[in-house]
Amino acid sequence: MEKENTTVIAEFVLTGLTYQEQWRIPLFLVFLAIYFITITGNLGLIVVIWNDSQLHIPMYLFLGSLAVVDTSLSSTVTPKMMVNFFSKNRISFTECVIQFFSVAVWVTTECFLLTSMAYDRYVAICNPLLYPVIMTNRLCVWLITTSFIGGIIHAFIHTGFLLRLTFCNDNIIHHFYCDIEPLFKISCSDPSINVLIVFTVAGSIQVITVMIILVSYTLVLFSILKKKSLEGMKKALSTCGAHFLCVALYYIPLIYMYVRPASAKSDDQDMTDSVFYTIIIPSLNPIIYSLRNRKVIDSLTKTLQRNV
């Protein structure tokens, strides 16, 4: 009788970020500026790499792919979130599933891309003479393609298990986008299997990719310490510094969000972590890589001069 009286939810309401009335416009303008920087920086980086044939090498192909992922991830989340500052952000069940699927694809793909870039830096520093032989454009394209395929498969797994849940009575999602854990909290079905899948599959991806990155950079560090040339050490550190900074900024909030105990979690903390790796990081990546990369700056300067 109780099941007959429940109403299946066809629409959700995203509560968005917690804020006071007077903070609506300032926050909207801040996130609008961040989104503009994200789109401009990443698309600019893609155009520079695309137009300069000298940058059609693995390091910059990875960088261009990362820019595509950052642009897509931010565009999946930010516009919808900004609308929520001025209205109750209603989203249909289908739109919610599509948004979650998209975020899962881009977040996972970025993990795999950062891991591939760490391997690329390891080969470049530890085996510089064999680098052109090992890290060919063919291998680079294969790693990039595999990263995207891995992201899609991972998203399909969680989306498939999400569709087995039913939602009734409560349609308020305490988040600024359709993330999986807030959906578990309002589900009428038992999400235990889903939680287990998130813990095992998503957790394994994070642990494995972090371990590969740490091993790569540990070997890189030992290789740098063996160099007797101070100039060589500076060059090696400069080459890896930008990537390692992006890895640290991306993984720390991601791991903190999913690894800390459920009892210590709160909706506000989850949203803060999500803002960082879905909105802030995509705007920082092109700045970090461009400002520390002479070839990108030179290519950008030539492109601007040619167009002007």
Side-chain angles (χ1 to χ4, degrees):
M1 194 64 156
E2 186 179 347
K3 289 185 179 179
E4 291 178 0
N5 291 333
T6 58
T7 303
V8 177
I9 299 297
E11 188 180 61
F12 298 108
V13 176
L14 296 168
T15 60
L17 298 171
T18 56
Y19 56 87
Q20 294 179 350
E21 192 75 19
Q22 64 269 25
W23 286 101
R24 284 186 177 185
I25 294 177
L27 284 176
F28 175 82
L29 294 176
V30 167
F31 285 110
L32 180 62
I34 293 173
Y35 185 59
F36 177 77
I37 293 170
T38 301
I39 298 301
T40 305
N42 284 292
L43 291 183
L45 192 58
I46 293 168
V47 170
V48 167
I49 294 172
W50 180 272
N51 288 334
D52 193 342
S53 59
Q54 293 183 349
L55 300 182
H56 294 176
I57 57 177
M59 177 180 176
Y60 298 100
L61 293 178
F62 283 126
L63 200 53
S65 301
L66 186 65
V68 171
V69 171
D70 284 336
T71 302
S72 303
L73 177 58
S74 182
S75 298
T76 302
V77 172
T78 311
K80 197 77 174 175
M81 182 202 68
M82 290 192 296
V83 171
N84 196 35
F85 282 118
F86 300 102
S87 64
K88 276 195 172 182
N89 196 0
R90 297 186 177 275
I91 184 171
S92 69
F93 177 77
T94 303
E95 290 175 327
C96 187
V97 171
I98 291 173
Q99 188 184 50
F100 164 73
F101 177 83
S102 300
V103 171
V105 169
W106 303 126
V107 169
T108 310
T109 301
E110 183 148 350
C111 289
F112 290 140
L113 279 177
L114 290 173
T115 306
S116 300
M117 293 171 74
Y119 174 71
D120 174 69
R121 293 301 85 205
Y122 157 73
V123 177
I125 302 298
C126 298
N127 297 287
L129 298 178
L130 294 176
Y131 179 77
V133 178
I134 298 174
M135 188 55 68
T136 61
N137 280 3
R138 183 177 180 180
L139 176 60
C140 175
V141 170
W142 183 84
L143 288 172
I144 292 171
T145 304
T146 304
S147 297
F148 279 92
I149 293 174
I152 293 171
I153 292 173
H154 183 235
F156 266 120
I157 291 172
H158 293 299
T159 304
F161 278 93
L162 180 64
L163 292 175
R164 64 176 285 273
L165 300 179
T166 56
F167 299 91
C168 53
N169 302 327
D170 187 5
N171 70 334
I172 305 297
I173 299 176
H174 295 289
H175 214 287
F176 61 91
Y177 74 93
C178 287
D179 198 9
I180 196 165
E181 291 195 359
L183 287 170
F184 290 165
K185 293 178 181 179
I186 63 172
S187 172
C188 297
S189 308
D190 182 11
S192 301
I193 296 177
N194 300 67
V195 173
L196 180 62
I197 294 297
V198 170
F199 181 78
T200 54
V201 180
S204 298
I205 290 174
Q206 289 187 31
V207 170
I208 292 171
T209 53
V210 166
M211 289 302 297
I212 293 173
I213 292 171
L214 289 178
V215 170
S216 298
Y217 275 103
T218 300
L219 296 174
V220 165
L221 180 61
F222 283 133
S223 179
I224 290 174
L225 293 175
K226 288 180 182 178
K227 294 181 182 293
K228 297 180 180 179
S229 169
L230 183 61
E231 188 66 28
M233 292 178 65
K234 287 182 178 179
K235 186 177 179 180
L237 288 171
S238 177
T239 303
C240 297
H243 178 252
F244 189 76
L245 177 60
C246 289
V247 168
L249 290 174
Y250 184 75
Y251 271 99
I252 289 174
L254 195 63
I255 292 175
Y256 177 73
M257 181 175 177
Y258 287 104
V259 171
R260 74 182 188 271
S263 59
K265 293 184 179 181
S266 72
D267 295 331
D268 288 341
Q269 286 177 322
D270 282 348
M271 282 191 281
T272 302
D273 296 336
S274 297
V275 165
F276 203 74
Y277 75 81
T278 60
I279 298 174
I280 305 298
I281 296 301
S283 69
L284 295 178
N285 281 346
I287 298 173
I288 293 171
Y289 281 110
S290 299
L291 292 179
R292 296 180 60 88
N293 195 299
R294 174 54 55 185
K295 286 187 177 181
V296 172
I297 294 175
D298 290 343
S299 181
L300 178 61
T301 303
K302 290 177 183 177
T303 302
L304 292 174
Q305 288 175 346
R306 192 163 54 243
N307 289 335
V308 171

